[in-house]
Amino acid sequence: MANPRESELLYPMGDALPAAGSVLEIAAGVRWLRMGLPFALDHINLWLLRDHVDGVDGWAIVDCGVANDATRANWEQVFANHLEGLPVLRVIVTHFHPDHIGLAAWLTERWSGRAAEPPQGEASPLGGGDAAKPVSLGANRECRLSISATDFNLARLASGSTVGMGGEAAASFFASHGLTDEDSLAKIRGRASYYPSMVPAVPSSFHRLMDGLSIKIGAHDWVCHTGYGHAPEHISLHCPDLGLLISGDMVLPRISTNVSVVDVEPEADPLTLYLASLERMLALPADTLVLPSHGKPFTGLHARIDQLREHHAERLAEVQQACAAKPCHAAELLAMMFKRKLDLHQTTFAMGESVAHLNALWLSGQLRRSLDADGIYRFSAV
């Protein structure tokens, strides 16, 4: 959904965007990167934070991009040109989705037990030696992944199979909610390796992030804010000193984040959880500069939360009205909820979101659910 109230948000960086393999400075020690994605949503914002761990100066990476050659090549350009000769000390991931955790294993392995490779012809500030070779910081030093425990374990599970994005279970789930087009279902069945193709591996160990945890990154404390609904245990990071919020996918400026029900938890109520999470984020200062995973950095956090709540209230009212007129399944609500033509990737997310709105109304007692003779769930007025 494009944001009709976008004028209420301010974009301090204007139209500036970091080029592939380059960075833009947001604040002292905070750098913005932008990597491509193979979807209609064609980019993800990633972040570099100046860091200090176990007596070593370096950088923390926040979110990773998907595992493909183009993203690895962009990271190598960043390493060569924008780390000031310092190593990556840790990798922080907001949640388990492929564009966020895809390269976490490669990044942590790439930087464990080594320092940055200095630009050609320059000596490393961490010690002398051949500038063409990384300087070892000791075999026991690891570049550790930091993530919530729930999303770590789900990523480990999904990288060996799939979760809600393809395969027979996903196709059966969508069919039970009215998606009966055989071509679409065949393509969904064929996407059993969808998640592993973008997240081929997940680090074997991690540092757990939890709600309210304050972590020292460089000179500043960053407080973890847990959000539910978009991912099982999404972590946003707030730095009171800098007035910054790395929001991940919880709050985006121009589009509403996807809130879906998937086959592994078919009776879930992620929309209610998501809206409650947004309510808690209102405790953050209104003038916070939000660093989202998609779109441009913006101010107007409270206004954007209000817009998102209004959007979902309108959606819920539309769904309830449709189901009052006649029993409806999720697939037949897509044309009402999404006013544009959807490709298969978008259709799977749209189906999950349609079920999320139906489940929210059903589980709160405002709709009745029935499994009809054709094996499809339909929802009707109470």
Side-chain angles (χ1 to χ4, degrees):
M1 177 204 73
N3 177 13
R5 294 169 53 186
E6 190 172 357
S7 62
E8 298 176 27
L9 309 181
L10 298 176
Y11 297 89
M13 304 293 290
D15 294 327
L17 296 173
S22 189
V23 303
L24 284 179
E25 194 88 14
I26 295 290
V30 180
R31 295 178 178 180
W32 173 22
L33 299 76
R34 195 172 170 97
M35 303 283 187
L37 294 175
F39 320 124
L41 185 58
D42 62 0
H43 72 276
I44 180 171
N45 297 324
L46 313 172
W47 314 96
L48 280 173
L49 308 178
R50 190 63 180 270
D51 204 0
H52 183 90
V53 177
D54 295 333
V56 178
D57 288 324
W59 297 90
I61 289 173
V62 182
D63 286 337
C64 306
V66 298
N68 62 27
D69 291 341
T71 309
R72 289 187 192 92
N74 284 334
W75 272 120
E76 292 293 357
Q77 288 187 53
V78 172
F79 299 156
N81 301 312
H82 300 289
L83 296 189
E84 301 172 10
L86 299 175
V88 174
L89 302 175
R90 56 181 148 184
V91 174
I92 300 168
V93 168
T94 57
H95 61 295
F96 86 104
H97 289 159
D99 48 335
H100 297 262
I101 200 172
L103 276 179
W106 177 77
L107 287 167
T108 53
E109 290 169 8
R110 167 76 168 72
W111 287 101
S112 288
R114 62 189 294 182
E117 298 183 25
Q120 191 68 29
E122 292 184 18
S124 168
L126 301 177
D130 187 350
K133 296 179 181 178
V135 178
S136 174
L137 295 183
N140 293 326
R141 191 189 74 79
E142 286 194 54
C143 177
R144 185 84 68 196
L145 169 68
S146 296
I147 188 174
S148 70
T150 312
D151 279 55
F152 172 77
N153 285 298
L154 189 52
R156 295 271 287 177
L157 172 67
S159 66
S161 57
T162 191
V163 172
M165 299 180 184
E168 186 59 48
S172 297
F173 173 70
F174 290 136
S176 74
H177 282 281
L179 186 66
T180 56
D181 176 66
E182 282 303 324
D183 182 56
S184 295
L185 292 175
K187 290 177 180 175
I188 291 169
R189 291 188 189 97
R191 282 159 50 108
S193 61
Y194 177 79
Y195 189 96
S197 71
M198 292 181 288
V199 190
V202 175
S204 59
S205 63
F206 76 110
H207 168 243
R208 184 178 184 180
L209 302 181
M210 296 184 292
D211 189 54
L213 178 69
S214 179
I215 54 177
K216 177 74 75 173
I217 304 176
H220 303 288
D221 292 319
W222 293 76
V223 181
C224 297
H225 288 260
T226 302
Y228 304 99
H230 176 68
E233 193 180 0
H234 182 294
I235 299 293
S236 301
L237 295 167
H238 176 237
C239 182
D241 292 347
L242 298 174
L244 299 177
L245 173 69
I246 297 177
S247 65
D249 281 347
M250 284 301 294
V251 182
L252 303 175
R254 296 197 66 251
I255 58 174
S256 58
T257 195
N258 181 258
V259 179
S260 282
V261 177
V262 296
D263 59 85
V264 293
E265 193 183 358
E267 278 77 45
D269 187 5
L271 182 57
T272 298
L273 294 173
Y274 176 70
L275 293 173
S277 299
L278 289 182
E279 192 77 21
R280 291 193 298 274
M281 293 184 86
L282 287 172
L284 299 177
D287 61 353
T288 298
L289 177 60
V290 181
L291 308 182
S293 290
H294 309 283
K296 296 182 291 186
F298 70 94
T299 58
L301 174 63
H302 290 190
R304 186 56 182 145
I305 289 173
D306 183 58
Q307 294 165 17
L308 290 167
R309 292 188 302 182
E310 181 182 88
H311 163 67
H312 286 293
E314 290 172 352
R315 280 269 183 89
L316 288 166
E318 290 173 350
V319 170
Q320 189 165 22
Q321 185 176 7
C323 293
K326 71 177 185 68
C328 294
H329 56 65
E332 63 189 307
L333 296 177
L334 295 186
M336 178 191 75
M337 296 179 68
F338 302 92
K339 311 301 184 186
R340 64 191 185 280
K341 183 175 175 60
L342 303 174
D343 60 24
L344 180 68
H345 179 76
Q346 294 165 328
T347 297
T348 59
F349 283 112
M351 279 293 299
E353 189 143 336
S354 180
V355 178
H357 284 76
L358 288 164
N359 275 11
L361 293 167
W362 165 52
L363 292 168
S364 64
Q366 298 176 73
L367 290 179
R368 179 184 295 111
R369 189 181 82 164
S370 63
L371 182 60
D372 294 343
D374 58 3
I376 294 175
Y377 288 107
R378 289 179 174 84
F379 298 77
S380 56
V382 173

